[in-house]
Amino acid sequence: MSVNHELETDMLALFQTIDLALNLYTWVLIGSAIFSWLYAFNVINSHNQFVNSVGRFLYNVTEPLLRPIRRVLPDLGGIDISPIILLLIIFFVRSLMWNTVYPLVA
């Protein structure tokens, strides 16, 4: 096997791993948004220890990336569109990675 082919295989594995991580984070972000709605409207029991654990996990995983976006966005009243902005950024990064960067290294 040539060195170039091995490099291409390694790059493909790296890009697939990054893509998978971004895809999983997308689902965590969607889950966090749904959880926050259910929590806000008292659909789920906020006194349940498991519910609180899930909520803390989702908050701790998503808040570091959402906080800077919220700082930049104007105040829209009670509407938080930062998860939508972050999803658009993730979509852009994935598209850029597969359509621009990967063809250059492959």
Side-chain angles (χ1 to χ4, degrees):
M1 203 183 277
S2 70
V3 173
N4 191 26
H5 188 300
E6 288 178 18
L7 178 63
E8 184 177 331
T9 304
D10 292 344
M11 291 304 293
L12 177 61
L14 175 65
F15 276 62
Q16 287 174 333
T17 303
I18 293 169
D19 190 56
L20 176 63
L22 290 172
N23 189 25
L24 289 173
Y25 194 80
T26 296
W27 287 108
V28 168
L29 193 57
I30 292 168
S32 178
I34 292 170
F35 183 88
S36 70
W37 297 334
L38 295 175
Y39 193 86
F41 294 115
N42 289 324
V43 174
I44 53 178
N45 183 2
S46 59
H47 300 294
N48 186 312
Q49 184 179 358
F50 178 73
V51 170
N52 283 330
S53 295
V54 170
R56 260 194 319 277
F57 168 77
L58 293 171
Y59 178 83
N60 289 335
V61 170
T62 58
E63 189 61 21
L65 292 179
L66 292 174
R67 189 178 309 119
I69 295 170
R70 287 188 186 118
R71 270 189 251 135
V72 174
L73 289 177
D75 185 17
L76 300 173
I79 300 172
D80 181 16
I81 62 167
S82 59
I84 295 169
I85 302 297
L86 185 53
L87 287 172
L88 290 172
I89 292 169
I90 290 171
F91 177 78
F92 174 77
V93 167
R94 290 176 74 190
S95 295
L96 182 72
M97 183 177 70
W98 287 113
N99 297 323
T100 305
V101 178
Y102 182 72
L104 292 176
V105 296

